[in-house]
Amino acid sequence: MIPMVASEELADYIDVFCDRGFFSVEDTDRILNAGMKYGLRAKIHANELGITGGVQVGVKYNALSVDHLEHIGEAEMEALKNTETMPTVLPGASFFLDCLMPRYEK
C-alpha cells in the first residue's frame, strides 16, 4: 500500500500506532523505513498504553512528532533531547477514552 499511496501523492506523512496490542517497535521500524524510501515523513502515536520504545524509533526516523505520551520516562526524554521530533500530549484522547492521564515514570 505504501508505494501506491506515495506514487499517487496521497500523503506527506506515514503515521504508526506503536503501542501494546498494536504495532511493535519492530513493525514500526519496518513501516517507517518503507515510508522513508518513498519520501513520507514519520509521525508516531506511542506510549499511550505504556512505555513501548515508540519514542526512540520515532526519533530514529526523525519523526515530526511522537504523540500521546501518557507514559514517559528518562530514556524517552533523553532520546528526544536535541532532536527535531516534537513530543505531543493528547489529553483529549485520554479523557474521551477514560484512560490514565499523562504521568512520568522512572
Side-chain angles (χ1 to χ4, degrees):
M1 182 169 57
I2 294 169
M4 182 175 281
V5 167
S7 72
E8 297 285 330
E9 298 182 359
L10 299 174
D12 296 318
Y13 303 96
I14 187 159
D15 194 340
V16 183
F17 187 19
C18 181
D19 221 322
R20 290 185 299 198
F22 296 91
F23 290 105
S24 69
V25 169
E26 295 78 16
D27 294 333
T28 299
D29 190 272
R30 194 168 43 252
I31 292 165
L32 295 182
N33 188 41
M36 183 181 70
K37 289 179 183 177
Y38 290 95
L40 300 174
R41 184 148 185 211
K43 294 176 94 178
I44 303 260
H45 291 260
N47 293 28
E48 183 176 6
L49 306 174
I51 292 182
T52 61
V55 170
Q56 289 86 340
V57 76
V59 169
K60 175 182 174 182
Y61 285 95
N62 192 32
L64 179 65
S65 63
V66 286
D67 306 329
H68 286 289
L69 306 182
E70 276 80 358
H71 302 267
I72 192 161
E74 290 288 334
E76 288 72 25
M77 289 200 278
E78 281 299 316
L80 287 163
K81 280 184 182 177
N82 302 313
T83 71
E84 293 182 17
T85 300
M86 179 63 65
T88 307
V89 294
L90 302 172
S94 297
F95 179 76
F96 180 77
L97 297 172
D98 198 23
C99 295
L100 294 172
M101 293 309 289
R103 67 178 199 228
Y104 175 76
E105 298 177 18
K106 289 187 179 184

